[in-house]
Amino acid sequence: MDFNYEIIVIGGGHAGCEAAAACGTLGHKTLLITMDMNKMAQMSCNPAVGGIAKGQIVREIDALGGHMGRVTDDSSIQFRMLNRSKGPAMWSPRSQCDRMVFSDKWRETLESIEKVHFWQDSVVDLILENGEVKGVVTQMGIKVLAHKVILTTGTFMNGLMHIGSFQMKGGRISEPASYGITEKLFSAGFRTGRMKTGTPARVDARTINFSQLSEQKGEEGFYKFSYLPGSNRQLKQRSCYITYTNSTVHKVIHSKLSESPMFNGTIQSLGPRYCPSIETKVVTFADKDMHQLYLEPEGENTVEYYLNGFSSSLPMETQFEALKQVAGLEEAVYFRPGYAIEYDFFDPTQLQPTLETKLLKNLYFAGQINGTTGYEEAAAQGIIAGINAALAIQKKAPFVLKRDEAYIGVLIDDLITKGVDEPYRMFTSRAEYRILLRQDDADQRLTPKGFEIGLASRERFDLLQEKLYFRDGLIQFMRQLSIKGKDIDEYLLSVGSTPLNQGIKLIDIISRPQVKLADLVSVLSPLNAHCAVFPANRREEILEAAEILIKYEGYINREKLMADKLKRLENIKIRGKFKYETLHTISTEGRQKLAKVDPETIAQASRISGVSPSDINVLLVLLGR
């Protein structure tokens, strides 16, 4: 075996897989070191990808040339577009997946990339010289040298699981923890901490009384994650089911709170606010008599179900006693109980926008090591770390996405600017430019960037150009086509819209909120004839792209104007220009936060919690001098 590589990726989770794929695709000899090659991109928690804001991230990863979207489509057993009752800026794709197929597809994907190599082992040490990372040492005692190292260790660094008073070392149930890296980096000056997450029990479907549950079916239609053509839900589609806790369930939980590690002081780590354990729910929302639970299939053919909404670290007996009181689960049998897990992370303000660390050159962090939670957030960091490690070797400019360009840009800027005081999860509310960052236009925003650096393929770029050609041609056609009442009044009345009293251009009719472009194709012969030349497998996608652009043109242009104004501050570089501790005209908190983060630009400085507008004005005045 050759123990010299250009890039080493440590960890085969969602971040590690995207990082390794990006490095290999960009032409660099990459070694992916993981403890279990049979669990590539393992879905440790729920068997689903996407959701509010997370679905937008997956489409962005795909648009750049990443793989999570395609793997999700190939392993999907249920697809839904969430928030369809709201505007398109809020639409978020989500897919239930067969987690076994998902992992297998990821391994197939990585093995198809010639430059990606594998080694099954655990990394216990980093080789450091003169403030740079030079390689790693594995548990087997093997030294592997590399120009760049990407750490994507998930929940494995000093991982400790809790089920009541029972504790078990490990990064995931039945899998060992990783030791040595935290200690090495702490000695090198890194700030580290502990975080906590949890997962619920898994249920045997043969023992569930489905007649007591509400069925939630998936959607049909053209929607999927990847912009590339190909498989679209080829697996058998399966339903999810809804049930609820009740006051009896809550009484059982309350009676045993003293045995919960999160309530008796055993766990001191930072836990997720937006995905709380069931014991946290019943305490925090004591006025609620019930909480919704989802039973989600783990695969196409398995009887294993994931009990979404009932994460817990309570003793096993207490979990099962409480669940017996839930409708449909009275006689349920379980594969394993829920558990909480504590693990090490590093303060992400110690990172550059490229995800390279500030303290050590050539070392990158991606995923839960940065204090995030979620497969999608991890994969987004992985692809950015992988891209930047490769570009640095090529001596090219770093690849950094701005907040108005991608949710991925919002995610990374939040991490490196604000840090984390709980596991970070992406929401649409975190983005200032939601109308610009829609799930439908991620290809338009990011595929040219991915193509320019060599990650997105020519096929992907050409598909984008084809879509834009037909979309823009359609919009121009509708600007010119005049419509009279006799052609369309019947349809307008049927959807509750005002009939025409004179002829108008078709584009003005599309602007009406009740009107759907897809409906008009069947109503208006000239429009139908124009759309007949569209590629059959992309017709709905093109129609939707045109309709969104027409209906939301004013909002889109307004957000672009706002973003352009703020970009002026993004272009004012300040790193290395100030000794913040000497600037006594800035508030004490402002000086401390600016010195800690060492922002790249004035715009980044303005987003630091504790830095006031008057502090920013002082910096601008000093720059003027």
Side-chain angles (χ1 to χ4, degrees):
M1 177 180 172
D2 185 352
F3 295 110
N4 290 277
Y5 284 83
E6 291 182 280
I7 301 170
I8 296 171
V9 177
I10 302 172
H14 301 272
C17 286
E18 287 289 359
C23 294
T25 302
L26 291 172
H28 297 282
K29 188 178 176 185
T30 303
L31 181 66
L32 175 59
I33 302 177
T34 183
M35 287 191 283
D36 191 344
M37 287 182 59
N38 295 314
K39 293 182 177 176
M40 296 295 189
Q42 174 80 337
M43 291 179 147
S44 309
C45 204
N46 64 316
V49 169
I52 307 301
K54 293 169 174 281
Q56 284 90 324
I57 286 177
V58 179
R59 297 220 87 191
E60 290 175 351
I61 292 169
D62 182 77
L64 284 170
H67 297 274
M68 191 181 213
R70 277 182 283 174
V71 171
T72 300
D73 290 339
D74 286 341
S75 58
S76 178
I77 57 174
Q78 187 194 94
F79 187 94
R80 296 176 64 216
M81 183 65 77
L82 307 182
N83 280 343
R84 287 299 301 277
S85 61
K86 300 179 181 179
M90 303 299 288
W91 296 356
S92 301
R94 184 182 189 272
S95 180
Q96 292 293 137
C97 297
D98 184 313
R99 63 181 178 86
M100 289 72 75
V101 173
F102 187 92
S103 185
D104 289 345
K105 290 289 183 182
W106 250 117
R107 179 161 173 170
E108 289 176 18
T109 297
L110 290 168
E111 289 181 351
S112 71
I113 302 172
E114 184 180 351
K115 292 283 186 177
V116 176
H117 298 226
F118 307 89
W119 184 250
Q120 187 164 309
D121 204 342
S122 177
V123 171
V124 296
D125 199 5
L126 300 173
I127 301 170
L128 309 182
E129 290 181 15
N130 301 320
E132 296 186 15
V133 173
K134 297 292 186 178
V136 305
V137 180
T138 76
Q139 194 171 38
M140 294 184 191
I142 298 169
K143 290 185 177 180
V144 188
L145 302 181
H147 302 308
K148 307 287 179 184
V149 174
I150 304 174
L151 271 180
T152 69
T153 49
T155 59
F156 281 80
M157 287 195 302
N158 294 317
L160 180 64
M161 290 171 281
H162 300 263
I163 306 172
S165 60
F166 173 74
Q167 294 182 352
M168 178 169 52
K169 293 180 179 180
R172 199 158 44 211
I173 198 77
S174 302
E175 296 182 49
S178 169
Y179 301 99
I181 296 177
T182 300
E183 294 74 16
K184 184 65 171 246
L185 292 175
F186 181 76
S187 67
F190 282 84
R191 297 185 300 275
T192 184
R194 295 281 278 175
M195 279 194 172
K196 167 257 162 191
T197 189
T199 191
R202 306 305 199 269
V203 193
D204 188 334
R206 295 170 298 186
T207 63
I208 298 172
N209 183 359
F210 287 99
S211 67
Q212 298 295 308
L213 310 180
S214 300
E215 186 176 10
Q216 185 182 59
K217 293 184 177 181
E219 296 178 5
E220 299 296 331
F222 74 97
Y223 290 115
K224 59 190 183 76
F225 276 102
S226 182
Y227 289 95
L228 290 177
S231 82
N232 184 9
R233 301 194 284 284
Q234 298 297 310
L235 302 184
K236 178 176 68 179
Q237 299 299 286
R238 299 192 62 180
S239 295
C240 295
Y241 295 86
I242 299 173
T243 187
Y244 297 87
T245 63
N246 52 56
S247 57
T248 307
V249 175
H250 299 180
K251 285 178 184 177
V252 173
I253 293 169
H254 271 291
S255 70
K256 300 291 184 178
L257 281 177
S258 61
E259 298 179 21
S260 168
M262 289 183 297
F263 283 86
N264 62 20
T266 303
I267 294 178
Q268 298 289 332
S269 308
L270 304 169
R273 178 198 308 262
Y274 301 106
C275 189
S277 65
I278 191 64
E279 48 265 49
T280 301
K281 287 181 187 178
V282 300
V283 170
T284 305
F285 307 104
D287 57 319
K288 292 189 177 294
D289 294 328
M290 63 176 66
H291 293 285
Q292 197 169 51
L293 305 177
Y294 293 88
L295 282 154
E296 303 172 345
E298 295 263 8
E300 181 183 21
N301 297 308
T302 183
V303 296
E304 185 176 359
Y305 270 70
Y306 177 88
L307 185 55
N308 199 337
F310 206 92
S311 294
S312 180
S313 64
L314 286 163
M316 179 175 63
E317 297 80 6
T318 304
Q319 292 184 42
F320 296 161
E321 181 186 350
L323 287 169
K324 276 188 177 180
Q325 317 305 318
V326 174
L329 302 180
E330 296 88 350
E331 305 297 329
V333 174
Y334 296 87
F335 291 127
R336 66 172 185 264
Y339 61 89
I341 179 168
E342 295 181 280
Y343 56 94
D344 294 342
F345 80 101
F346 292 93
D347 180 353
T349 63
Q350 300 169 107
L351 300 175
Q352 311 276 9
T354 59
L355 297 183
E356 184 179 17
T357 69
K358 295 175 180 176
L359 276 69
L360 292 172
K361 288 190 67 177
N362 304 325
L363 178 64
Y364 299 75
F365 292 169
Q368 285 180 280
I369 190 173
N370 290 334
T372 61
T373 180
Y375 311 143
E376 303 83 1
E377 290 88 343
Q381 295 168 72
I383 195 170
I384 296 299
I387 289 171
N388 279 301
L391 292 179
I393 291 174
Q394 298 168 16
K395 301 190 183 307
K396 292 182 179 178
F399 185 80
V400 177
L401 294 171
K402 296 183 175 63
R403 297 181 71 93
D404 65 322
E405 292 177 325
Y407 272 96
I408 297 174
V410 175
L411 163 67
I412 293 175
D413 184 66
D414 278 354
L415 292 175
I416 67 172
T417 302
K418 301 175 182 177
V420 291
D421 54 12
E422 62 186 41
Y424 181 101
R425 179 179 179 179
M426 179 53 72
F427 292 101
T428 51
S429 59
R430 296 190 189 272
E432 307 93 310
Y433 309 110
R434 291 188 290 277
I435 296 176
L436 301 183
L437 308 182
R438 307 183 310 277
Q439 62 83 32
D440 64 278
D441 73 341
D443 56 344
Q444 185 179 337
R445 290 183 277 120
L446 300 179
T447 294
K449 295 178 182 292
F451 181 67
E452 183 180 358
I453 62 174
L455 191 61
S457 64
R458 165 60 69 176
E459 176 194 13
R460 190 181 286 279
F461 184 77
D462 288 346
L463 281 167
L464 169 62
Q465 298 309 308
E466 177 188 67
K467 172 181 168 180
L468 297 181
Y469 171 78
F470 285 117
R471 183 203 68 182
D472 295 345
L474 174 59
I475 292 174
Q476 185 60 28
F477 175 78
M478 291 189 291
R479 288 189 193 281
Q480 297 172 348
L481 181 64
S482 295
I483 298 297
K484 296 181 179 179
K486 64 182 180 62
D487 302 317
I488 201 170
D489 278 352
E490 184 179 350
Y491 167 75
L492 293 177
L493 290 169
S494 72
V495 296
S497 188
T498 307
L500 303 182
N501 53 24
Q502 63 182 23
I504 62 173
K505 299 299 184 184
L506 178 56
I507 198 164
D508 295 321
I509 296 174
I510 301 298
S511 300
R512 297 185 181 190
Q514 308 95 326
V515 172
K516 303 297 180 188
L517 180 54
D519 294 342
L520 293 183
V521 172
S522 59
V523 172
L524 301 172
S525 298
L527 181 61
N528 191 309
H530 180 86
C531 297
V533 299
F534 294 172
N537 62 343
R538 307 194 72 191
R539 181 174 171 134
E540 292 166 294
E541 179 187 2
I542 293 164
L543 289 174
E544 183 176 271
E547 183 171 12
I548 290 173
L549 207 56
I550 293 167
K551 281 183 170 13
Y552 293 89
E553 182 180 22
Y555 299 102
I556 292 169
N557 289 339
R558 187 166 61 190
E559 277 205 354
K560 282 181 179 177
L561 188 63
M562 291 168 55
D564 288 341
K565 286 181 179 178
L566 287 175
K567 274 182 182 175
R568 299 169 194 168
L569 298 181
E570 294 285 4
N571 293 328
I572 303 176
K573 305 290 185 182
I574 59 172
R575 179 165 290 166
K577 294 187 177 181
F578 298 110
K579 291 184 178 179
Y580 294 110
E581 60 274 11
T582 67
L583 301 181
H584 295 290
T585 46
I586 289 178
S587 66
T588 302
E589 183 182 9
R591 292 199 304 272
Q592 292 171 346
K593 294 289 182 67
L594 286 165
K596 177 183 177 182
V597 175
D598 190 17
E600 184 78 24
T601 66
I602 281 286
Q604 186 187 0
S606 72
R607 294 191 290 269
I608 298 173
S609 175
V611 176
S612 69
S614 61
D615 294 335
I616 297 300
N617 285 334
V618 170
L619 294 179
L620 288 170
V621 169
L622 292 172
L623 282 171
R625 291 179 184 174

